[in-house]
Amino acid sequence: MYLSTIGRKDLPADPQDPARRGRWKAVGGNVLALGTVSLVTDVSAEMVTAVLPLYLVLGLHLSPAAYGALDGLHTGATALLRLVGGYVADRVRRRKAVAGVGYGLSAFAKLGLVAAGGSLASIGLVVAADRAGKGLRTAPRDALITLSAPEASLGRAFGVHRAMDSVGAFAGPLVALAVLTAAGQSFDAVFVTSFCVAALGLLILFLFVRDHREARPPSGTVSPRAVGRLLRTAPVRRLVCAACLLGLATVGDGFVYLLLQRRESLSIGWFPLLAVGTSLSYLLLAAPIGALADRIGRLPVMLGGYGVLAAVYLLLHGPLDGPVLLGTVLFLYGLFYAATEGVLLALAGPVLPERLRTTGIALVQSGQALAYLASSVLFGLAWQEWGGAAASRWAAVAVVGVGVATAFLLRSSSPRSTDDQKGSPS
């Protein structure tokens, strides 16, 4: 596949092509079904995620460095399982089933939080299990999206999916606050409710999502050796390297919200609403920005998103304060996610051969997750040693440097023909 698909994407000349007509129905019903699963699942996930940083740092008195290590470990430790999920899904051609195992593991992890109590070690194991479930399901789900929409509409498809996903992220903290209020500040009530919501998402997956159940590939088509050959192709290798760099420059959401909370001295009750503000911006912007990426080029949109992230880090200790600071940071943070998360996978789709599509996406996501582990640990140490202001400014510098390196990596690859790209890993 020509790596020019990373840049401006010319639409097919056929006026009857759905992507050429530019209608949202080109996204396809399967993408909408997957989006519904993600919406419901994210309500469940964000019920827990919205209060966890506050609970760990203020409730259990973790230092910024310890929180950074825990936060990074939970994301980075899923890297191997992302690869396992992607490889198995390609090998058995049952992407929906592998995704279902991941969704189920995350659902039951919510009940594990009830049993964990105040034990930090137990909480760590349970949250790691939850993240492991996410690691298993993410690559098969995203591969299904790439197989359920026209190539020229992948940016729009991921934008619609991420918009639906962010509706759940928007609603989750609000549901958590409602449950806490009704249950007398009982966190166990939040965890049990979260499990019930996650179980509903699993049911929707099995009832409404269609799998792409091709015949099992010939022997050797999906194998460790084939994956190694895939990584040796220049476009895939550059994409994985770029994903690692981008992960290395990304600080976890919990850090951003904790810095805002400390700067503005927000009460505990307001803290979960910071994630709501980001999610609102994300859900409003994800679909139109995905469509924009299809129209003007996916790489420029993604790099613009990381420029926005650098601005967020600078604003955390910049000239603004009060409601203006909160509104601006949360809006820009949602814009960053809208311009990067789905767009990176839309970049990857055309570059990866279909028979190794899920494995290739898992490689990209795993590289990002491992880099994020290092980023969280380093940022936590920097905050503890130099203070939040210096740490966030250095993070902004890192984002700019990584953006320049990513532009070089993804623009300087030599073109490869479609036949060469599809044939190289077999």
Side-chain angles (χ1 to χ4, degrees):
M1 212 52 183
Y2 286 100
L3 204 64
S4 58
T5 55
I6 286 179
R8 185 182 177 91
K9 189 78 180 148
D10 293 329
L11 295 177
D14 182 3
Q16 298 304 314
D17 186 273
R20 186 69 175 176
R21 292 197 304 267
R23 297 176 182 173
W24 291 106
K25 68 181 181 180
V27 167
N30 215 37
V31 174
L32 296 177
L34 287 163
T36 303
V37 174
S38 293
L39 188 161
V40 174
T41 302
D42 236 35
V43 171
S44 168
E46 292 302 322
M47 288 178 66
V48 176
T49 302
V51 297
L52 200 58
L54 194 67
Y55 176 66
L56 293 173
V57 173
L58 298 186
L60 299 184
H61 306 292
L62 262 68
S63 68
Y67 172 74
L70 186 62
D71 182 54
L73 180 63
H74 290 154
T75 300
T78 67
L80 179 60
L81 282 171
R82 290 173 191 262
L83 289 172
V84 169
Y87 181 80
V88 170
D90 277 335
R91 183 89 178 186
V92 303
R93 287 299 193 266
R94 297 295 184 268
R95 299 178 180 93
K96 175 179 169 179
V98 175
V101 172
Y103 280 111
L105 181 58
S106 292
F108 283 103
K110 307 301 189 298
L111 291 181
L113 288 170
V114 178
S119 168
L120 182 60
S122 298
I123 291 173
L125 288 173
V126 171
V127 177
D130 175 67
R131 297 297 87 188
K134 183 173 183 179
L136 280 175
R137 72 181 184 248
T138 301
R141 180 203 65 200
D142 289 339
L144 279 174
I145 293 174
T146 68
L147 295 170
S148 301
E151 182 182 306
S153 296
L154 283 178
R156 177 182 287 113
F158 276 104
V160 169
H161 176 269
R162 293 320 195 245
M164 297 179 72
D165 182 87
S166 59
V167 170
F170 173 79
L174 297 178
V175 175
L177 286 176
V179 173
L180 283 173
T181 301
Q185 307 301 310
S186 168
F187 283 94
D188 284 354
V190 174
F191 301 148
V192 172
T193 305
S194 175
F195 164 74
C196 295
V197 176
L200 175 61
L202 191 61
L203 181 64
I204 294 171
L205 174 76
F206 283 108
L207 290 180
F208 297 104
V209 172
R210 291 178 291 104
D211 205 352
H212 282 257
R213 303 181 68 172
E214 310 97 328
R216 185 166 297 193
S219 177
T221 302
V222 180
S223 65
R225 183 176 298 178
V227 175
R229 283 196 290 268
L230 176 66
L231 271 175
R232 287 196 293 272
T233 60
V236 175
R237 185 173 63 249
R238 290 177 184 272
L239 192 63
V240 172
C241 288
C244 291
L245 286 174
L246 295 172
L248 193 59
T250 305
V251 172
D253 294 357
F255 279 125
V256 173
Y257 300 147
L258 286 169
L259 286 170
L260 279 176
Q261 188 269 336
R262 292 194 174 191
R263 168 144 185 208
E264 294 300 311
S265 301
L266 297 176
S267 66
I268 292 176
W270 284 100
F271 185 84
L273 297 181
L274 297 176
V276 173
T278 298
S279 298
L280 177 61
S281 171
Y282 188 8
L283 75 89
L284 293 175
L285 296 172
I289 287 183
L292 179 68
D294 285 336
R295 193 159 58 247
I296 70 171
R298 293 164 188 164
L299 181 59
V301 169
M302 188 181 74
L303 293 177
Y306 279 94
V308 169
L309 181 63
V312 167
Y313 293 160
L314 291 174
L315 284 171
L316 290 173
H317 291 87
L320 302 179
D321 56 21
V324 175
L325 171 66
L326 294 173
T328 302
V329 166
L330 297 180
F331 172 79
L332 292 178
Y333 206 35
L335 174 59
F336 154 69
Y337 276 119
T340 58
E341 196 172 68
V343 176
L344 175 62
L345 297 174
L347 278 171
V351 174
L352 300 168
E354 183 173 330
R355 61 182 173 274
L356 287 171
R357 181 74 53 85
T358 318
T359 305
I361 288 175
L363 286 169
V364 172
Q365 294 171 334
S366 296
Q368 227 176 353
L370 287 173
Y372 177 84
L373 166 59
S375 173
S376 290
V377 172
L378 290 173
F379 187 85
L381 290 171
W383 182 357
Q384 186 165 305
E385 293 298 319
W386 304 330
S392 58
R393 287 166 187 155
W394 277 111
V397 172
V399 171
V400 173
V402 161
V404 172
T406 299
F408 174 78
L409 273 173
L410 298 186
R411 284 189 182 280
S412 61
S413 296
S414 57
R416 301 175 67 90
S417 72
T418 302
D419 292 339
D420 288 344
Q421 179 66 17
K422 289 187 176 182
S424 57
S426 59

